[in-house]
Amino acid sequence: MSAAFSRRVDAALADPILKLAIDRTAGTAEAKRALAVDGFAHFEQARTRAAAIKDHVVAHLGHYLEHFEASATAAGAQVHYARTADEACAIVIGICKAAGARTVARSKSMLGEEIGLPHALAEAGIGRIETDLAEHIIQLADERPSHIVWPAMHKTREQVSALFKQHHTAPHTEETIPAMAESARRHLRQGMLGADVGISGANFLIADSGAVCTVTNEGNAELSLVPPRVHIVTAGIEKLVPSMGHAAQLLRLLARSATGATLTQYTTFYTGPKRAADPDGPEAMHIVLIDNGRVKMRDEGLAEMLRCIRCGACMNHCVVFRQIGGHAYGGTYPGPMGAVLTPALDGLAASRDLPNACTLNGKCQEVCPVKIPLPTLLRGWREKSWREGLEPATMRQGIGAWAWVAQRPRLYRAAVRAAIFAMRRFGRGWIRALPLARGWTAHRDLPAPDAESFMSRYARGER
Ligand code: SF4
């Protein structure tokens, strides 16, 4: 484990408030999802269909990109393509500057975090108002999101209350959630109505109509995208679906998997800018379609990861995430999906700890609404890391020595007998420290092994 990852994990494990905050949110989500899935008679068939829809689009990406561009252009939007995060940010900043924007209202988008848009806007001197309640909390705290659905899940309501009192002009006086929500509403509404540009992500891009779909539970996307003069959408190219019907099939799975709700409170389809007869809406709509490594992922064995609809179920059910939270992962995307995506986005050398931090218990794959084989993809990263020699020399030598012994059955059996003897002799019931495995025993004791190994019992015919 790298020193940086180890430090982040140790800090997370030593933080009792973090664990409380994660359990409050992820624990509730886990229970609600289970109820929602129980009440959905054809959940398995829906998952299979959803995976097939996403696989089809990813296999025919060029076709659906052209189709979407033609439909969106016909509806009056302008479509831009960005190969990299820097290109995407440059396009967005260019549009903002051309519109004379001093302030933008942003509706939550993990892609915006992925491409570093908040930073790019700050560098360009453009003010930013995060309108999603959790993103607003993150902005006030000057932190990064720790979950893709609940970016502020690491904060307790007591911490949020203190932040609002520090930053809001007319904060709540009652320590209740409705009073705190009202304080945020008062604060954010002014910013949303005064913004020059609204920036959103997209949950789905509908190829046959050129519509962009966003889902929120607060209505902040609608309020931050309709009043400004310009609406900019930043979306990964994997968000395409052929038609509204296909989007509807995925929407049925998205909310259930994320929060256990049947549908999010607000599901909106934006098709082009304001038309002549429309009472309101932006004068211009720009859609920035971003690759940022997605085509490479498709072509290099990670196509299944492009099915992801960002529901967060994999992290809510992950035993590792539930202990250490999102920040310890170090990348934009945490949890099991982040452990697959981060090496693709940031490079394997910088993030090889993440695939190795997985227990491979398979729970993430079991709950993923689009059946992404996350453990298999994580094992793929581990193999690549080994092939490329990224593991520390001590680990390579240790595993090399073990492999050498394991290929010599007599020697292997003798070594196992010697190890059992030593562990029983010195462990006295429980083993509290092991040479060469201190990282393991630092956090847990192991029971001393039985006197006889499973293989020798099996050889004797014991069943
Ligand atoms: S990998 Fe699956 S479970 Fe995890 S966020 Fe993506 S769609 Fe949801």
Side-chain angles (χ1 to χ4, degrees):
M1 200 190 282
S2 70
F5 184 56
S6 179
R7 262 197 311 277
R8 292 197 300 269
V9 169
D10 285 347
L13 291 175
D15 183 348
I17 293 183
L18 175 67
K19 181 82 178 86
L20 173 73
I22 295 171
D23 281 344
R24 272 184 187 169
T25 311
T28 310
E30 189 178 4
K32 285 188 174 169
R33 177 201 169 271
L35 276 177
V37 168
D38 278 352
F40 188 165
H42 304 292
F43 189 69
E44 267 316 297
Q45 290 96 318
R47 287 176 79 211
T48 305
R49 262 200 312 272
I53 292 169
K54 296 292 285 185
D55 284 350
H56 170 79
V57 172
V58 168
H60 302 90
L61 213 42
H63 166 77
Y64 284 108
L65 280 169
E66 281 178 20
H67 197 179
F68 177 79
E69 182 186 347
S71 308
T73 307
Q78 293 176 56
V79 177
H80 310 256
Y81 289 94
R83 271 172 307 150
T84 63
D86 286 348
E87 272 182 32
C89 287
I91 292 169
V92 173
I93 300 298
I95 297 167
C96 289
K97 285 190 170 165
R102 282 162 302 143
T103 314
V104 301
R106 215 169 70 102
S107 164
K108 182 169 90 66
S109 148
M110 288 308 293
L111 182 82
E113 303 295 326
E114 177 190 317
I115 61 173
L117 190 54
H119 181 70
L121 288 164
E123 278 211 322
I126 299 169
R128 167 176 62 97
I129 300 151
E130 292 294 340
T131 63
D132 173 85
L133 180 56
E135 286 285 352
H136 171 57
I137 294 165
I138 293 298
Q139 187 176 23
L140 294 183
D142 194 19
E143 291 177 1
R144 287 185 303 111
S146 66
H147 190 286
I148 61 172
V149 175
W150 299 285
M153 75 151 12
H154 58 285
K155 292 245 173 280
T156 60
R157 73 171 166 266
E158 294 79 5
Q159 291 173 321
V160 173
S161 173
L163 270 174
F164 284 4
K165 285 183 175 162
Q166 190 187 342
H167 294 279
H168 289 177
T169 39
H172 56 291
T173 48
E174 254 179 71
E175 286 302 322
T176 62
I177 289 177
M180 287 162 64
E182 191 52 44
S183 177
R185 191 176 287 126
R186 273 193 302 274
H187 186 88
L188 288 173
R189 194 163 286 238
Q190 290 167 342
M192 289 192 227
L193 296 177
D196 305 298
V197 170
I199 302 181
S200 72
N203 288 88
F204 303 105
L205 303 167
I206 320 295
D208 68 356
S209 63
V212 173
C213 172
T214 64
V215 300
T216 72
N217 277 316
E218 296 156 24
N220 62 299
E222 293 70 13
L223 205 51
S224 51
L225 303 177
V226 174
R229 285 177 283 120
V230 180
H231 175 190
I232 304 175
V233 181
T234 54
I237 51 179
E238 84 285 8
K239 298 284 179 177
L240 285 161
V241 290
S243 70
M244 195 78 91
H246 295 96
Q249 296 193 43
L250 292 161
L251 281 165
R252 296 177 79 202
L253 291 168
L254 176 57
R256 283 178 170 89
S257 303
T259 62
T262 312
L263 203 60
T264 41
Q265 300 292 331
Y266 297 87
T267 302
T268 303
F269 294 83
Y270 307 82
T271 313
K274 179 181 173 182
R275 284 165 288 254
D278 289 345
D280 47 30
E283 290 155 21
M285 181 179 187
H286 295 265
I287 303 168
V288 188
L289 299 174
I290 302 167
D291 176 350
N292 201 30
R294 284 157 175 78
V295 169
K296 188 163 182 266
M297 283 171 65
R298 180 192 69 176
D299 297 343
E300 295 187 357
L302 290 174
E304 288 147 319
M305 196 60 226
L306 298 174
R307 291 178 194 162
C308 181
I309 55 171
R310 307 291 193 260
C311 71
C314 56
M315 51 200 79
N316 297 339
H317 292 77
C318 173
V319 289
V320 177
F321 180 91
R322 291 283 289 266
Q323 293 299 318
I324 63 173
H327 287 157
Y329 286 79
T332 302
Y333 301 101
M337 55 84 85
V340 175
L341 279 175
T342 308
L345 294 169
D346 298 348
L348 184 56
S351 54
R352 54 158 284 277
D353 289 316
L354 301 183
N356 284 309
C358 174
T359 65
L360 299 179
N361 68 10
K363 191 70 189 170
C364 49
Q365 178 172 350
E366 206 178 292
V367 297
C368 176
V370 283
K371 294 191 170 182
I372 300 177
L374 291 154
T376 308
L377 300 180
L378 288 167
R379 269 200 300 271
W381 278 129
R382 290 184 185 186
E383 283 162 23
K384 188 161 195 268
S385 176
W386 184 263
R387 279 199 309 276
E388 293 183 359
L390 300 176
E391 320 300 344
T394 46
M395 185 177 171
R396 296 186 72 81
Q397 285 156 7
I399 292 180
W402 180 86
W404 189 85
V405 175
Q407 288 169 58
R408 290 159 178 80
R410 277 195 198 165
L411 183 59
Y412 184 81
R413 280 195 287 274
V416 167
R417 277 197 298 275
I420 289 175
F421 175 79
M423 285 198 273
R424 287 175 64 77
R425 176 90 175 73
F426 300 110
R428 294 196 177 88
W430 284 93
I431 297 161
R432 297 197 163 76
L434 276 175
L436 304 175
R438 282 200 205 96
W440 181 262
T441 50
H443 297 288
R444 56 188 77 71
D445 298 335
L446 303 177
D450 275 355
E452 198 177 357
S453 73
F454 168 78
M455 289 308 288
S456 69
R457 284 185 180 180
Y458 189 80
R460 274 197 291 106
E462 200 179 307
R463 298 288 186 269

